[in-house]
């Protein structure tokens, strides 16, 4: 059984701070990693993808991947109240490349 | 149509009834997926289709069926609904070679 684990939170950070969201996965053969943002009552929205070890930056978002530790994280710099949402980690593995999702971390950015 | 549409937006259904959730995309994506999302359990894959004419089972396929007659449409059918199928259902799609999924707005289904 492939597992993706996230701290469910809630995680609260003040406006302007860095929010750090973490995810671990069980399948060492996992190849692709994704972060989705989901606002309450809305559908998930893909915000970051990462495929190789290291950091990948896109605006205020940085995804970090460490395959040896089976760990992927998302950093949100200069957090804004509009970043308040649930963040879902997803991992792709196997020949069918199906995604396995974590249960999500709820982030609240306090004004 | 822009992106992925799902219908209905929400539905209350008596147990034992048959129900089809509709999903249509206009992005010409090859692959389409159905997920259910339950509190504390995240998104779980029900069925998928890598291309028109083919389908496959996901993590939680029991009680559901799908068909993929063309590229754009991927309906999900509950043959005889049970209360444990109460959930939010999301349809998603992606292009070949891209694994990131684009999600529809969801259908909130309540089975009584």
């Amino acid at each position: 059984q492939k597992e993706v684990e996230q701290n469910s939170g809630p995680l609260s950070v003040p406006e302007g701070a860095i929010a750090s969201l973490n995810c671990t996965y069980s399948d060492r053969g996992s190849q692709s990693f994704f972060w989705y943002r989901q606002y309450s009552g809305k559908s998930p929205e893909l915000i970051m993808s990462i495929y190789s070890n290291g950091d990948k930056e896109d605006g205020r978002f940085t995804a970090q991947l460490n395959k040896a530790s089976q760990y992927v994280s998302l950093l949100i710099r200069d957090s804004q109240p509009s970043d308040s949402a649930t963040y879902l980690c997803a991992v792709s593995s196997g020949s069918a490349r199906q995604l396995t999702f974590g249960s999500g971390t709820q982030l609240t950015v306090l004004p | 149509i822009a992106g992925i549409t799902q219908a209905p937006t929400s539905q209350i259904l008596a147990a034992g009834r048959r129900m089809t959730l509709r999903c249509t995309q206009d992005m010409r994506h090859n692959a389409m997926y159905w997920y259910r999302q339950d509190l504390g359990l995240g998104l779980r894959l029900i069925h998928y289709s890598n291309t028109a004419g083919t389908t496959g089972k996901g993590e939680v396929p029991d009680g559901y069926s799908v068909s993929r007659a063309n590229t754009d449409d991927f309906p999900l059918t509950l043959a005889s609904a049970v209360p444990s199928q109460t959930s939010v259902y999301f349809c998603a799609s992606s292009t070949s070679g891209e694994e990131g999924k684009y999600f529809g707005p969801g259908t909130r289904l309540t089975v009584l």
Side-chain angles (χ1 to χ4, degrees):
Chain A
Q1 180 77 11
K2 301 169 187 173
E3 294 183 350
V4 177
E5 300 287 342
Q6 294 181 254
N7 188 331
S8 62
L11 173 67
S12 295
V13 299
E15 184 175 355
I18 296 175
S20 178
L21 305 164
N22 305 314
C23 173
T24 59
Y25 58 94
S26 63
D27 185 359
R28 282 199 170 273
S30 299
Q31 299 144 323
S32 310
F33 307 85
F34 305 88
W35 284 99
Y36 290 80
R37 177 177 61 199
Q38 186 174 25
Y39 293 113
S40 180
K42 302 296 184 182
S43 58
E45 173 192 10
L46 179 65
I47 56 172
M48 288 290 285
S49 58
I50 187 166
Y51 304 96
S52 55
N53 281 329
D55 295 359
K56 179 181 178 182
E57 185 175 320
D58 184 1
R60 296 186 296 111
F61 298 100
T62 300
Q64 299 175 318
L65 175 62
N66 183 327
K67 289 186 177 181
S69 299
Q70 296 175 239
Y71 176 92
V72 58
S73 65
L74 179 70
L75 301 178
I76 306 174
R77 291 183 301 280
D78 188 23
S79 296
Q80 302 296 309
S82 59
D83 294 326
S84 298
T86 296
Y87 289 81
L88 304 170
C89 173
V91 175
S92 172
S93 58
S95 58
R97 299 286 187 103
Q98 299 304 326
L99 290 184
T100 300
F101 284 83
S103 58
T105 298
Q106 183 180 344
L107 172 68
T108 300
V109 180
L110 303 171
Chain B
I1 297 177
I4 301 176
T5 59
Q6 293 184 236
T9 301
S10 65
Q11 182 75 44
I12 298 174
L13 188 67
R17 297 296 296 269
R18 180 184 179 90
M19 176 74 190
T20 295
L21 307 185
R22 299 184 298 279
C23 174
T24 299
Q25 53 102 2
D26 65 353
M27 298 177 284
R28 308 304 294 173
H29 284 174
N30 292 330
M32 298 186 73
Y33 311 83
W34 275 105
Y35 291 89
R36 60 177 289 174
Q37 187 173 37
D38 303 290
L39 194 64
L41 294 178
L43 285 155
R44 293 181 292 169
L45 181 65
I46 304 171
H47 284 287
Y48 65 92
S49 169
N50 287 329
T51 189
T54 69
T55 63
K57 294 181 179 180
E59 180 184 354
V60 288
D62 293 344
Y64 306 95
S65 63
V66 292
S67 61
R68 186 86 183 279
N70 57 60
T71 298
D72 298 345
D73 301 300
F74 191 43
L76 175 73
T77 297
L78 290 68
S80 179
V82 295
S84 62
Q85 292 177 311
T86 294
S87 187
V88 180
Y89 291 85
F90 288 105
C91 179
S93 69
S94 64
T95 58
S96 297
E98 274 193 14
E99 295 159 297
K101 308 292 189 290
Y102 297 88
F103 283 82
T107 293
R108 184 175 295 275
L109 181 67
T110 302
V111 182
L112 301 176

